[in-house]
Amino acid sequence: MSALSRTASRTCCMSLKFIRPSSELRTNDGRSIRHVERFNGRSYSSTHVPQVPTWEPVPEDQLPPCTSIPPELVDKLERLALVDFRTKQGVACLEKAIQFADQLHVVDTCGTEPMDCVLEDRALYLRDDTVMDGNCAEQLLQLSQNTVEEYFVAPPGNIPLPKREERSAMLKHSEF
Amino acid sequence: MLSLTIKEVSLALREGRISPTELCKKCLNRIKKMHHLNAYITVTEETALQQAQQAEDRLQRGVPKGPLDGVPFAIKDNFCTANIKTTCASNMLKDYTPPFNATVVQKLLDQGGVLVGKTNLDEFAMGSGSIDGVFGPVKNPWSFAAPYRELTGASPDSDWVITGGSSGGSAAAVASLSSFLALGSDTGGSTRNPGALCGVVALKPTYGLLSRHGLIPLVNSMDVPGIMTRCVSDAAMVLDILKGHDIRDSTTVHSPSTSAEFPEDFDVQNIRVGIPKEYHAPGLSAQAAAQWSRVADLFERAGARVEQVSLPHTQFSIVCYYVLCCAEVASNMARFDGLEYGHRSETGHSTEVLYASTRHEGFNDVVRGRILCGNYFLLKKNYEHYFLKAQRVRRLIAEDFRRVFDAGVDVLLTPTTLTDAARYHDFKSENSQARSVQEDLFTQPVNLAGLPAVCVPTALSKRGLPIGLQLIGPAFQDKKLLGVARWLEQRVGFPSISDCEDSLESQDQTGEMKREFNTAV
């Protein structure tokens, strides 16, 4: 890469206190480098820092077609996540996120194993499987808003969430 | 006194030039004065004064616990603090008071540190602006300092700039001189990003070096506690105090090889500095690029071997991060159901309705959005296509780094953010996903690979706002990395905000008056 081709392009003015004259330096391997540093409209230029972006966003035509989320899937996700999309905008956000994630498919990962954790090559410490602390049930129960004796209180279970329309009406009542 | 480093103020305390209670009161006053920044969610005035008094007794008896004895510090409000509210800036935990201390908090208290408050953040640390929490946005202290005012002619009420995030409150606390040290958390850049925008030193240690016990999790495989200080030596000292295996966090490692002493005068001659070319990304500002070049030149002139290197998968790192983050968030946030702790909805005819309405009321749009996306990526039919695919790309990213370090590169030098801090109104107009894509671009690859990285402030931009560069090192070489950072810090001459103190104070008075006026109305 040529030092000179990179020097001219970038100018900027910064309110800094550092003024250095242009200097001629030699790198370890003996190449000559011109440092162009002008103050007030000066440019810093290094032979090593690229002067222009080195990549571009993945063009849309390389991505799979946009995924649209059908109403049944919206319902399913809301039941699984136990949060609601609230508005159409919420669904649009998910569609956008999927399109963003689809860029991954440009990358060739053939023969590459998934990585769960960066400590995968270490033996992590396991302590003996014995009780070390505890006896703090009372302290923990105090954090709950509804307890009876030493139990957390939950409303009746095994009742599926109501249908989507009723759900929205229900949540509207609990607006904060 | 408030603009000193920890080392300096610790000496002042030992020599009796100031007492811990005086110092604590000064910090508490400073917090009040800087209230308009909204850096703190909870100010722990009473316990802070008690802790300061205890430190004072120890110092008077000549038996300080360590270099932090009597030194005020702040903690991001997603670390559990015993008997002190820990909110994550969310309605879900607005009234949650944990019964225990996070390990890293306990370690600071064991050293005699004085906890002055819990700092503001994006809800559950999901964000990069510190504007998405229920307690309102954090303002960057440099918005009120002379350089920004004079260079841009900005008005204090409408043109303030963001701190970055999600640990914006911690960064603002250290930058505005109300705390000598603050802990943040760093999942994708949440410590380094606000560190860069607020002009403080921000360290993301190697994954596994610091305990995560008591840090309310966002992404378990990437979260690390982050350290924010005014100088690199302070960060190194705090790292020494905090690191080490914790029986309560099985992902902390035993006796890592970083026990080497922190080199105060690191010799950069003959070290190899890599410039990853992919970090000149679309959107990198001319000024950030210029700083990058300037510092590369500094290293080269000092005799370091500076060379361009390639981390070919960098472009896809943010995508990989996004998918993995959503997936882990969906799983981690499942714990918030209203039964055992946190917010509980009044609406609850059945367990599922209680869960749904509690979570509807407790989470903001950003958190809900990520939970839904995560559930989508984790659906049986999508698991391989998105989740495992992202985990495979993660390995490629980690291998990119490994290849470069194995080839003999000692540190990588990169920008931390694309630009200096954005004005609140400009930042707010973009949606959260777009923001995160822009803001975490240079910071999250390090989290995917588990490496240490430190952001060092290098200059003020032509808008008078901080620009910071990032140094990245091989895993568990945090000390050497900090040695290089220290060398850099001593050569760039980044100005202290206290040099602009007059202006900061006067703007502050305006802020105070304005607030009183608002309250009166």
Side-chain angles (χ1 to χ4, degrees):
Chain A
M1 71 210 78
S2 144
L4 289 174
S5 67
R6 294 221 159 128
T7 49
S9 59
R10 210 157 277 279
T11 53
C12 75
C13 37
M14 307 184 78
S15 52
L16 289 169
K17 300 168 198 155
F18 311 95
I19 306 175
R20 282 187 306 259
S22 296
S23 57
E24 184 88 13
L25 283 183
R26 248 162 226 293
T27 59
N28 291 345
D29 54 1
R31 281 176 301 130
S32 166
I33 298 174
R34 279 279 317 266
H35 287 265
V36 180
E37 290 167 4
R38 290 190 304 271
F39 204 66
N40 282 341
R42 94 200 109 150
S43 75
Y44 286 114
S45 184
S46 159
T47 35
H48 312 289
V49 173
Q51 296 299 300
V52 290
T54 54
W55 52 271
E56 283 175 9
V58 179
E60 265 185 41
D61 59 8
Q62 284 188 30
L63 295 175
C66 287
T67 308
S68 74
I69 307 291
E72 313 85 73
L73 187 54
V74 169
D75 186 65
K76 183 177 182 179
L77 286 172
E78 287 190 342
R79 282 170 189 278
L80 282 172
L82 289 165
V83 293
D84 55 309
F85 281 95
R86 239 176 224 194
T87 54
K88 268 192 188 146
Q89 217 182 347
V91 180
C93 261
L94 173 61
E95 287 169 349
K96 248 181 157 172
I98 296 166
Q99 196 189 8
F100 181 66
D102 277 333
Q103 290 179 76
L104 286 178
H105 302 301
V106 177
V107 185
D108 179 7
T109 53
C110 268
T112 308
E113 286 298 307
M115 186 185 216
D116 279 320
C117 175
V118 293
L119 300 175
E120 59 184 9
D121 52 350
R122 289 175 174 257
L124 294 178
Y125 171 78
L126 294 175
R127 67 169 173 83
D128 292 336
D129 189 13
T130 50
V131 177
M132 295 177 55
D133 49 16
N135 284 326
C136 50
E138 210 165 294
Q139 220 176 1
L140 295 179
L141 283 161
Q142 274 172 10
L143 300 174
S144 172
Q145 294 190 26
N146 196 346
T147 56
V148 172
E149 294 173 359
E150 62 265 40
Y151 294 97
F152 296 112
V153 177
N158 282 332
I159 304 172
L161 275 182
K163 291 223 165 60
R164 194 146 197 271
E165 309 76 60
E166 293 167 46
R167 229 155 55 213
S168 331
M170 168 193 93
L171 290 175
K172 231 172 239 154
H173 288 298
S174 71
E175 214 50 80
F176 229 40
Chain B
M1 186 59 73
L2 290 181
S3 61
L4 297 181
T5 65
I6 296 179
K7 215 168 247 182
E8 291 163 345
V9 84
S10 178
L11 190 68
L13 286 168
R14 276 152 201 259
E15 290 178 347
R17 277 182 279 137
I18 189 165
S19 77
T21 41
E22 280 168 346
L23 184 63
C24 178
K25 281 179 189 162
K26 269 183 193 288
C27 282
L28 292 169
N29 283 336
R30 183 76 181 173
I31 292 172
K32 280 179 199 144
K33 215 168 195 178
M34 296 285 134
H35 183 73
H36 61 288
L37 299 177
N38 202 19
Y40 291 83
I41 291 174
T42 305
V43 180
T44 49
E45 182 159 354
E46 211 171 300
T47 49
L49 288 168
Q50 284 167 9
Q51 288 163 358
Q53 187 57 54
Q54 288 160 5
E56 191 153 327
D57 296 345
R58 285 189 297 270
L59 284 163
Q60 274 170 1
R61 280 185 284 125
V63 284
K65 282 182 165 179
L68 284 187
D69 210 351
V71 176
F73 70 94
I75 297 286
K76 186 177 182 180
D77 209 20
N78 60 349
F79 286 93
C80 288
T81 42
N83 307 316
I84 297 166
K85 271 187 192 176
T86 298
T87 68
C88 281
S90 173
N91 278 328
M92 189 59 91
L93 292 177
K94 212 161 69 181
D95 300 309
Y96 173 63
T97 305
F100 71 107
N101 278 323
T103 300
V104 285
V105 173
Q106 191 60 51
K107 284 189 172 187
L108 293 176
L109 292 173
D110 288 347
Q111 290 286 318
V114 173
L115 174 63
V116 290
K118 302 292 296 289
T119 58
N120 205 346
L121 64 156
D122 287 301
E123 183 163 331
F124 282 104
M126 293 182 213
S128 49
S130 301
I131 66 164
D132 280 332
V134 288
F135 300 101
V138 188
K139 298 179 182 178
N140 191 322
W142 288 91
S143 312
F144 304 91
Y148 177 66
R149 296 268 161 247
E150 284 162 15
L151 290 166
T152 64
S155 109
D157 299 323
S158 57
D159 293 334
W160 56 273
V161 299
I162 60 161
T163 54
S166 65
S167 315
S170 288
V174 175
S176 66
L177 314 178
S178 65
S179 169
F180 291 87
L181 146 76
L183 293 190
S185 60
D186 196 312
T187 307
S190 281
T191 296
R192 288 159 288 153
N193 174 288
L197 301 190
C198 293
V200 301
V201 172
L203 171 69
K204 177 238 173 261
T206 301
Y207 183 87
L209 201 55
L210 266 58
S211 168
R212 293 180 295 116
H213 172 69
L215 165 61
I216 295 171
L218 177 60
V219 182
N220 298 295
S221 73
M222 298 180 214
D223 292 343
V224 291
I227 298 169
M228 292 171 150
T229 53
R230 301 207 186 107
C231 74
V232 175
S233 300
D234 284 355
M237 181 217 286
V238 176
L239 178 69
D240 259 339
I241 289 167
L242 297 183
K243 72 177 186 194
H245 174 68
D246 180 9
I247 205 157
R248 293 188 159 86
D249 176 1
S250 64
T251 59
T252 47
V253 299
H254 262 295
S255 55
S257 54
T258 70
S259 43
E261 276 296 293
F262 168 67
E264 282 282 348
D265 294 305
F266 191 85
D267 184 7
V268 298
Q269 209 162 6
N270 301 324
I271 67 161
R272 284 173 66 185
V273 178
I275 307 289
K277 66 174 184 189
E278 290 79 6
Y279 282 63
H280 197 137
L284 182 69
S285 70
Q287 297 186 64
Q291 283 306 313
W292 192 14
S293 290
R294 171 189 164 220
V295 170
D297 285 356
L298 274 179
F299 275 111
E300 187 149 54
R301 254 177 282 135
R305 200 168 132 198
V306 181
E307 58 199 284
Q308 195 175 93
V309 298
S310 176
L311 301 168
H313 297 92
T314 300
Q315 172 178 4
F316 300 99
S317 185
I318 187 78
V319 187
C320 168
Y321 171 77
Y322 186 74
V323 172
L324 296 179
C325 179
C326 288
E328 287 207 45
V329 162
S331 153
N332 266 325
M333 294 291 135
R335 78 191 70 215
F336 298 104
D337 55 20
L339 289 184
E340 297 93 349
Y341 48 79
H343 175 70
R344 179 181 180 126
S345 175
E346 306 270 324
T347 320
H349 330 293
S350 73
T351 306
E352 299 237 325
V353 168
L354 174 72
Y355 288 170
S357 47
T358 294
R359 292 158 66 79
H360 171 85
E361 294 162 9
F363 294 140
N364 73 3
D365 286 352
V366 176
V367 177
R368 257 198 342 268
R370 289 205 196 175
I371 293 173
L372 286 160
C373 288
N375 274 285
Y376 178 83
F377 296 137
L378 291 171
L379 284 176
K380 199 170 164 192
K381 62 169 182 156
N382 292 336
Y383 192 80
E384 166 73 41
H385 195 60
Y386 289 107
F387 182 65
L388 291 182
K389 178 77 183 180
Q391 285 197 322
R392 290 180 214 280
V393 174
R394 180 179 192 177
R395 182 176 302 280
L396 294 175
I397 288 154
E399 279 172 1
D400 280 354
F401 281 110
R402 188 178 340 212
R403 205 171 304 118
V404 167
F405 288 128
D406 282 353
V409 166
D410 295 284
V411 291
L412 294 167
L413 173 70
T414 79
T416 312
T417 53
L418 288 166
T419 62
D420 56 3
R423 282 173 52 210
Y424 173 66
H425 290 290
D426 299 335
F427 191 77
K428 211 178 145 113
S429 58
E430 285 177 76
N431 83 39
S432 158
Q433 196 216 338
R435 281 190 227 139
S436 127
V437 169
Q438 285 173 5
E439 302 300 318
D440 298 338
L441 200 58
F442 301 137
T443 46
Q444 43 68 36
V446 159
N447 298 80
L448 288 168
L451 306 175
V454 59
C455 169
V456 181
T458 58
L460 292 183
S461 70
K462 63 179 175 185
R463 293 163 69 217
L465 298 172
I467 295 178
L469 292 181
Q470 174 176 241
L471 291 165
I472 304 170
F476 298 107
Q477 299 210 10
D478 303 53
K479 281 294 178 61
K480 181 175 169 188
L481 176 72
L482 287 171
V484 179
R486 167 97 177 122
W487 180 90
L488 173 59
E489 173 185 56
Q490 287 172 323
R491 271 143 197 94
V492 287
F494 184 77
S496 164
I497 201 167
S498 58
D499 298 342
C500 327
E501 188 73 333
D502 287 349
S503 157
L504 201 64
E505 301 263 328
S506 66
Q507 289 304 339
D508 170 50
Q509 279 158 15
T510 336
E512 285 285 345
M513 275 155 55
K514 175 92 174 99
R515 233 190 4 271
E516 278 164 23
F517 178 72
N518 282 343
T519 321
V521 172

